[in-house]
Amino acid sequence: MSSDNKSGVRFAYIASFLTPLTLMLSGIVAVIYAAYKLNKGTDELTYSHYYTIIRTFFLFFTFFVVLGVTAATMTGMVAGAEYWVHSPFLDKLLSAIPVVGLIIAALAIVKWFVKHIQGLKLLSQNKPIAL
């Protein structure tokens, strides 16, 4: 792998790594860059890393969309039930839904960071990621 290819993959990893902190802007740049490089043709090592960056971005994007829709739907259902029933349990459940969502999202972001750190370590060792 040439140093130019390695620096390109490293740029894509860093941009993708910053996705949760830049409200997805850097992740979109990383995906576009990785897709462009894949389209130009690369060796097997860089292909596996670029493909993993794209796959991870869309996997986590889908996860967060589903998490948001689920939290919104659950909140609406519990709020509607609490409006009619006036239960202290439902009131506590209504206030706990955002906290549970925050914990799940924080764990997913930590996993996001760990996957990118593992990818960068494999890149520095010139090893492809198992697809």
Side-chain angles (χ1 to χ4, degrees):
M1 170 192 281
S2 70
S3 64
D4 185 41
N5 284 346
K6 201 173 213 178
S7 64
V9 174
R10 192 169 284 126
F11 164 76
Y13 266 119
I14 292 170
S16 185
F17 183 84
L18 296 174
T19 298
L21 307 174
T22 62
L23 302 176
M24 289 186 40
L25 186 61
S26 64
I28 292 169
V29 169
V31 166
I32 292 171
Y33 180 79
Y36 170 74
K37 288 293 193 173
L38 280 177
N39 194 37
K40 282 179 59 177
T42 60
D43 59 355
E44 188 65 31
L45 178 64
T46 54
Y47 176 85
S48 71
H49 286 278
Y50 282 136
Y51 180 77
T52 300
I53 290 168
I54 294 169
R55 183 180 62 186
T56 303
F57 175 82
F58 284 110
L59 175 72
F60 279 90
F61 177 72
T62 304
F63 170 77
F64 280 106
V65 168
V66 170
L67 179 65
V69 168
T70 303
T73 303
M74 182 81 166
T75 302
M77 289 172 37
V78 172
E82 204 274 328
Y83 175 79
W84 291 102
V85 177
H86 300 296
S87 167
F89 171 74
L90 290 177
D91 190 41
K92 288 181 184 178
L93 181 63
L94 189 60
S95 62
I97 291 172
V99 175
V100 171
L102 177 69
I103 291 169
I104 293 170
L107 291 173
I109 290 172
V110 167
K111 184 175 179 178
W112 173 276
F113 289 145
V114 168
K115 285 182 83 60
H116 282 75
I117 290 169
Q118 289 172 345
L120 281 169
K121 285 181 182 177
L122 287 174
L123 179 66
S124 68
Q125 297 169 359
N126 285 331
K127 294 182 180 175
I129 295 178
L131 302 176

